[in-house]
Amino acid sequence: MPSTGLSIIPINGVGEIRPGDEIATHVAAAAHDSGTPLADGDCLVVTQKVVSKAEGRLVLLDHSDRDARLRLVESESVRILRRRGDLVISETSHGFVCANAGVDLSNVEAGQAALLPVDPDRSAKHIRDALRARSSVEVAVIISDTFGRPWRNGLTDVAIGVSGIAAIVDLRDTTDALGRALQVTELALADEIAPAAELVMGKATGVPAAIVRGLSKEWFREGSARELIRPASEDLFR
Amino acid sequence: MPSTGLSIIPINGVGEIRPGDEIATHVAAAAHDSGTPLADGDCLVVTQKVVSKAEGRLVLLDHSDRDARLRLVESESVRILRRRGDLVISETSHGFVCANAGVDLSNVEAGQAALLPVDPDRSAKHIRDALRARSSVEVAVIISDTFGRPWRNGLTDVAIGVSGIAAIVDLRDTTDALGRALQVTELALADEIAPAAELVMGKATGVPAAIVRGLSKEWFREGSARELIRPASEDLFR
């Protein structure tokens, strides 16, 4: 079904999130106060950083202690893929392959580091359930994080947690405009929604959430970021 | 500067593009006829497929001839990274690492295959210059294609040609909300705009172009998809 277009709306005014805070409450209030309240059929994208903070996924770390940093990265990894200097590319317990196991030193208090949420899908579901219960809106939720990638410079946002929307859309059994089976069979939908949202969030402006409005209704179903993880046995680059 | 949000607008009614067609003319007319004409400050995203068709980057190929397919992929590659069955991951002459050298069998006439544009940046610039000359609009142009990636399932769109916008935004010398230097130094902006546009284009609906409206003005400058190519010497996964 042809799209009529999307709106990508930053949610300003969320404020600082502290351990124990309910993200759904803060995000819904900020969206409302900004004049762009959440609506049914929206996909809310929330950065991993604020989810980690809300869930208390903060540890003590002396940022200048290189050995301590490396030990922390290793403790958050199940498998190291590559090392170069201070850079470690590893597989996290979730199955994500990324730099430094997603351990983040920015936007946290000095002497602390933020770790990835233990179960980002569950984090996404928690926010979605809370929005349904408190704000009576039925939305999907994606938890996003910023990853590098091989072969290409720069970082982009990807989905690490998903609730209420397909992470992968299977185009198998659809045909192209000339009636033939498509070569492209799996579209990583959640990994397109996450970077779209990042365009309005901004690493330096501290906007931690955005609404992606207008996505095709047929994409909304139960989903999981695990759909996005390629098994090591199928991966040619481990 | 905080974003006020984006609109992602599909351009319907572009029609079939044939060798020799001017994409700028078709896209501008379709956008106008759809009630969403191109405007200054827009970023136009156009799929590689229609650019390849317009530029006559079509070759004869018997789709059922596996050996012929492999020979074509190899001829479009400067280096093979991996093989598995019919799948070849290779580096193209442009420096892109992708499956099957970007050779595409879908949405072309039977007996043909579409190759990547020879110089997608130049293709983007051509469209941009034509829009300025014919429609008096100053827009950026991104040529997008659909690539797979290691470690994660599914395909996403990336930028293979860029004109008039930064492909990479350097966040070095910016600080986070707590005043410290950001760890994230390079944002692959064009590789976030491309998948955002893909969300409204759709592999099966045949919409070959979309407008991304509302991007930060400071991002508009001369740019190139070559900024996105990580040199092999810096790449840990070759």
Side-chain angles (χ1 to χ4, degrees):
Chain A
M1 177 149 175
S3 166
T4 52
L6 299 183
S7 298
I8 319 282
I9 306 164
I11 300 178
N12 293 299
V14 172
E16 184 70 12
I17 296 292
R18 294 182 177 82
D21 282 351
E22 274 291 353
I23 285 178
T25 305
H26 286 255
V27 165
H32 178 269
D33 293 348
S34 301
T36 56
L38 290 164
D40 290 345
D42 283 348
C43 181
L44 172 68
V45 181
V46 184
T47 62
Q48 161 270 325
K49 181 61 65 62
V50 292
V51 173
S52 293
K53 284 181 178 178
E55 295 180 1
R57 292 283 290 159
L58 300 167
V59 296
L60 296 175
L61 179 70
D62 176 353
H63 290 198
S64 64
D65 186 337
R66 183 172 177 269
D67 289 341
R69 283 203 319 267
L70 281 175
R71 279 197 306 272
L72 179 59
V73 167
E74 287 168 0
S75 71
E76 290 292 301
S77 306
V78 298
R79 191 167 297 109
I80 307 293
L81 272 68
R82 302 283 192 279
R83 295 180 194 264
R84 179 176 284 178
D86 279 357
L87 176 66
V88 174
I89 309 292
S90 66
E91 181 183 339
T92 69
S93 57
H94 324 80
F96 301 125
V97 177
C98 59
N100 298 330
V103 175
D104 201 336
L105 301 183
S106 69
N107 277 317
V108 292
E109 298 297 327
Q112 291 186 359
L115 309 180
L116 290 180
V118 172
D119 186 342
D121 278 341
R122 185 180 64 193
S123 307
K125 183 180 191 305
H126 176 85
I127 295 169
R128 181 166 163 242
D129 290 346
L131 287 169
R132 187 185 304 115
R134 292 161 187 263
S135 308
S136 301
V137 278
E138 190 62 56
V139 303
V141 177
I142 288 175
I143 311 295
S144 63
D145 199 1
T146 308
F147 283 6
R149 56 264 171 86
W151 317 328
R152 296 176 79 85
N153 288 327
L155 300 102
T156 62
D157 273 22
V158 298
I160 64 167
V162 175
S163 182
I165 192 163
I168 297 271
V169 173
D170 192 338
L171 301 174
R172 223 181 310 258
D173 298 332
T174 59
T175 55
D176 66 18
L178 295 175
R180 288 187 306 254
L182 280 182
Q183 275 184 310
V184 171
T185 54
E186 290 196 337
L187 177 74
L189 177 67
D191 278 353
E192 295 204 322
I193 296 171
E198 198 286 323
L199 288 169
V200 306
M201 290 203 266
K203 302 277 170 275
T205 58
V207 174
I211 298 168
V212 179
R213 178 169 292 165
L215 293 165
S216 176
K217 288 178 170 38
E218 64 200 45
W219 291 339
F220 286 76
R221 59 162 173 77
E222 289 307 321
S224 166
R226 287 190 305 278
E227 301 171 43
L228 291 159
I229 296 171
R230 188 187 294 273
S233 59
E234 297 177 20
D235 194 338
L236 299 173
F237 293 93
R238 296 285 175 130
Chain B
M1 177 153 174
S3 165
T4 52
L6 299 183
S7 298
I8 319 281
I9 307 163
I11 300 179
N12 293 300
V14 172
E16 184 70 13
I17 296 290
R18 294 183 178 80
D21 282 351
E22 273 291 353
I23 285 178
T25 306
H26 286 254
V27 165
H32 178 268
D33 294 347
S34 302
T36 56
L38 290 164
D40 290 346
D42 283 348
C43 182
L44 172 68
V45 180
V46 183
T47 62
Q48 161 270 326
K49 180 64 64 61
V50 293
V51 174
S52 293
K53 283 181 179 178
E55 294 181 1
R57 291 284 289 162
L58 300 167
V59 295
L60 295 175
L61 180 70
D62 177 354
H63 291 198
S64 63
D65 187 339
R66 183 172 177 269
D67 289 341
R69 283 204 319 268
L70 280 175
R71 279 197 306 273
L72 180 58
V73 167
E74 288 168 0
S75 71
E76 289 292 301
S77 306
V78 297
R79 189 167 299 109
I80 308 294
L81 272 69
R82 302 283 191 280
R83 295 180 194 266
R84 178 176 284 180
D86 280 357
L87 176 66
V88 174
I89 309 291
S90 67
E91 181 183 340
T92 69
S93 57
H94 324 79
F96 300 125
V97 176
C98 60
N100 299 330
V103 174
D104 201 337
L105 301 182
S106 70
N107 278 317
V108 292
E109 298 298 328
Q112 290 186 359
L115 308 180
L116 290 180
V118 172
D119 186 342
D121 279 340
R122 185 180 64 193
S123 307
K125 183 179 192 305
H126 177 83
I127 296 169
R128 180 166 165 243
D129 290 347
L131 288 169
R132 187 185 303 114
R134 294 159 185 262
S135 308
S136 303
V137 278
E138 190 62 56
V139 303
V141 176
I142 288 175
I143 311 295
S144 63
D145 199 0
T146 309
F147 283 5
R149 55 264 171 86
W151 317 328
R152 295 176 80 83
N153 288 328
L155 299 102
T156 62
D157 274 23
V158 299
I160 63 167
V162 175
S163 182
I165 193 162
I168 297 270
V169 173
D170 192 338
L171 301 173
R172 224 180 310 259
D173 297 332
T174 61
T175 55
D176 66 17
L178 295 175
R180 286 188 305 257
L182 281 180
Q183 273 185 311
V184 172
T185 53
E186 290 196 337
L187 178 73
L189 178 67
D191 278 353
E192 296 204 322
I193 295 171
E198 198 285 325
L199 288 170
V200 306
M201 287 201 269
K203 302 277 172 276
T205 57
V207 173
I211 299 168
V212 179
R213 179 169 293 166
L215 293 165
S216 177
K217 288 179 170 39
E218 65 201 44
W219 292 337
F220 286 75
R221 58 163 173 77
E222 288 308 321
S224 165
R226 287 189 307 277
E227 301 171 43
L228 291 160
I229 296 171
R230 188 187 294 272
S233 59
E234 296 176 21
D235 195 339
L236 299 174
F237 293 92
R238 295 289 174 125

